[in-house]
Amino acid sequence: MKKSMKFGIVAAIAAMVAAPLVPSAASAAPSPTGSSHGVGAHHGVGHGAQPHSTPTKSGPTSIAYVEVNNDQLSNVGRYTLANGANAFDVAIIFAANINWDGSKAVLYNNENVQRTLDDAATQIRPLQAKGIKVSLSILGNHQGAGIANFPTQAAAADFAAQVSATVAKYGLDGVDLDDEYSDYGVNGTPQPNQQSIGWLISALRADMPGKLISFYDIGPASSALASSSSTIGSQLDYAWNPYYGTYSAPSIPGLGKDRLSAAAVDIQNTSQSAAVSLAQRTKADGYGVFMTYNLPDGDVSPYVSSLTQVLYGQAASYQ
């Protein structure tokens, strides 16, 4: 995802009534204090279906976004805790795009995202075999189309069908929604509206009843969700703070703190001491999710371990 990676770096410089995933707890415009990347009822695709022999942990559900233009998704599975449990619970492919074909929004994968999907046997299936869920992040591509400006419910349903078909085709576990880089209004596209994101979430949930739907809490879609009914929010599995190095929980009716990450950590740019502080606050405040971004290739187990010691009481190793 050349474009989403490129503009993610620009932004970084200038972002269900069940318990969280078992092992349980468990993208972009600048913010005043941090930068983003550019990420009730549970819907049943957590780690609860793991084999009985799989080691478990107690603590927040851990999220790992991977910039697949630069790094291998499979690296997420190489981090394990002292008891053999996974250090990370959900791996997110960053990122596919929403393009505009002149009449509607279309899902687009750049060559690196497509390569990751095509290499599912080495990039995706090994993670899933360990009990790690794999989602696809989706965000705008400066063409005017995004998750906040579907003009009709039918338009949102059309895009949801494209997404769900991709999830099914590549055997993914869900989708992550990110309202960045859309440039609403260009190419004659409409401006955001209050109904668009709700239409999309509801259509995705209808199309993917057993899959994860997460929300990177940013953009016009964030504002719309904050004032929406709990019926919409309760159809999400997770939402998180989009501004790295900061601590601020999303406010979405229908989503309890067990499914929110107030912390946002960019592994390659948030200092280890700041990340540890965010982990400590997450535990102390009882949030059920801990979101990280930018897991690189190679061994960064000292950094990861400093977080898992706080979150799970166990060191992490790289294998």
Side-chain angles (χ1 to χ4, degrees), residues 2 9 19 23 30 40 93 105 107 115 117 157 162 164 175 184 201 219 226 234 237 258 264 288 303 305 308:
K2 286 281 188 201
I9 293 175
I93 300 167
L107 184 62
R115 185 181 301 114
L117 296 173
Q162 297 177 50
S164 61
V175 63
Y184 294 117
I201 290 170
S234 64
D237 291 278
D258 61 320
Y303 189 108
S305 189
T308 62

Side-chain angles (χ1 to χ4, degrees), residues 205-220:
R205 180 52 65 209
D207 288 350
M208 307 189 308
K211 301 293 185 177
L212 292 175
I213 304 175
S214 59
F215 181 65
Y216 190 81
D217 190 38
I218 199 169

Side-chain angles (χ1 to χ4, degrees), residues 84-157:
N86 299 313
F88 297 105
D89 301 311
V90 181
I92 301 181
I93 300 167
F94 189 80
N97 292 114
I98 309 173
N99 282 4
W100 178 252
D101 74 354
S103 62
K104 70 175 188 176
V106 294
L107 184 62
Y108 169 76
N109 301 322
N110 81 358
E111 63 273 20
N112 297 304
V113 171
Q114 190 61 55
R115 185 181 301 114
T116 300
L117 296 173
D118 290 338
D119 291 347
T122 59
Q123 294 297 311
I124 297 171
R125 301 294 172 257
L127 301 184
Q128 294 172 324
K130 291 174 176 284
I132 299 170
K133 300 302 175 182
V134 179
S135 285
L136 179 65
S137 178
I138 297 173
L139 76 169
N141 201 17
H142 303 276
Q143 298 183 16
I147 65 175
N149 72 336
F150 292 110
T152 64
Q153 190 169 1

Side-chain angles (χ1 to χ4, degrees), residues 57 60 62 76 79-81 85-89 132 304 308 312 316-317:
K57 67 191 184 190
S62 51
V76 175
Y79 293 91
T80 59
L81 303 184
N86 299 313
F88 297 105
D89 301 311
I132 299 170
V304 173
T308 62
Y312 313 116
S317 61

Side-chain angles (χ1 to χ4, degrees), residues 9-314:
I9 293 175
V10 170
I13 293 174
M16 264 181 238
V17 182
L21 294 181
V22 179
S24 104
S27 298
S31 90
T33 56
S35 59
S36 65
H37 65 213
V39 102
H42 193 279
H43 300 288
V45 281
H47 292 24
Q50 293 182 70
H52 293 300
S53 60
T54 302
T56 61
K57 67 191 184 190
S58 177
T61 297
S62 51
I63 311 299
Y65 280 90
V66 177
E67 288 267 14
V68 297
N69 278 344
N70 300 325
D71 303 306
Q72 299 292 303
L73 187 76
S74 59
N75 207 42
V76 175
R78 301 188 67 174
Y79 293 91
T80 59
L81 303 184
N83 72 345
N86 299 313
F88 297 105
D89 301 311
V90 181
I92 301 181
I93 300 167
F94 189 80
N97 292 114
I98 309 173
N99 282 4
W100 178 252
D101 74 354
S103 62
K104 70 175 188 176
V106 294
L107 184 62
Y108 169 76
N109 301 322
N110 81 358
E111 63 273 20
N112 297 304
V113 171
Q114 190 61 55
R115 185 181 301 114
T116 300
L117 296 173
D118 290 338
D119 291 347
T122 59
Q123 294 297 311
I124 297 171
R125 301 294 172 257
L127 301 184
Q128 294 172 324
K130 291 174 176 284
I132 299 170
K133 300 302 175 182
V134 179
S135 285
L136 179 65
S137 178
I138 297 173
L139 76 169
N141 201 17
H142 303 276
Q143 298 183 16
I147 65 175
N149 72 336
F150 292 110
T152 64
Q153 190 169 1
D158 178 84
F159 186 73
Q162 297 177 50
V163 173
S164 61
T166 295
V167 168
K169 179 177 179 179
Y170 296 103
L172 303 175
D173 297 298
V175 63
D176 179 63
L177 304 176
D178 185 343
D179 193 12
E180 301 182 273
Y181 314 123
S182 291
D183 292 357
Y184 294 117
V186 304
N187 296 319
T189 56
Q191 292 297 320
N193 65 72
Q194 289 293 107
Q195 295 78 32
S196 178
I197 184 62
W199 287 335
L200 179 61
I201 290 170
S202 294
L204 286 169
R205 180 52 65 209
D207 288 350
M208 307 189 308
K211 301 293 185 177
L212 292 175
I213 304 175
S214 59
F215 181 65
Y216 190 81
D217 190 38
I218 199 169
S222 172
S223 299
L225 277 180
S227 60
S228 69
S229 74
S230 60
T231 302
I232 300 299
S234 64
Q235 296 178 80
L236 290 168
D237 291 278
Y238 304 114
W240 33 76
N241 173 16
Y243 298 114
Y244 297 106
T246 73
Y247 188 84
S248 178
S251 178
I252 300 175
L255 267 185
K257 67 191 303 182
D258 61 320
R259 294 186 287 136
L260 298 175
S261 179
V265 170
D266 181 335
I267 292 175
Q268 297 189 46
N269 292 290
T270 304
S271 72
Q272 185 170 316
S273 61
V276 167
S277 176
L278 293 173
Q280 292 169 337
R281 293 182 68 180
T282 295
K283 284 286 284 186
D285 293 344
Y287 284 101
V289 187
F290 189 81
M291 187 273 280
T292 71
Y293 166 71
N294 225 4
L295 183 71
D297 286 342
D299 183 357
V300 292
S301 57
Y303 189 108
V304 173
S305 189
S306 71
L307 302 178
T308 62
Q309 287 277 21
V310 174
L311 297 172
Y312 313 116
Q314 300 182 57

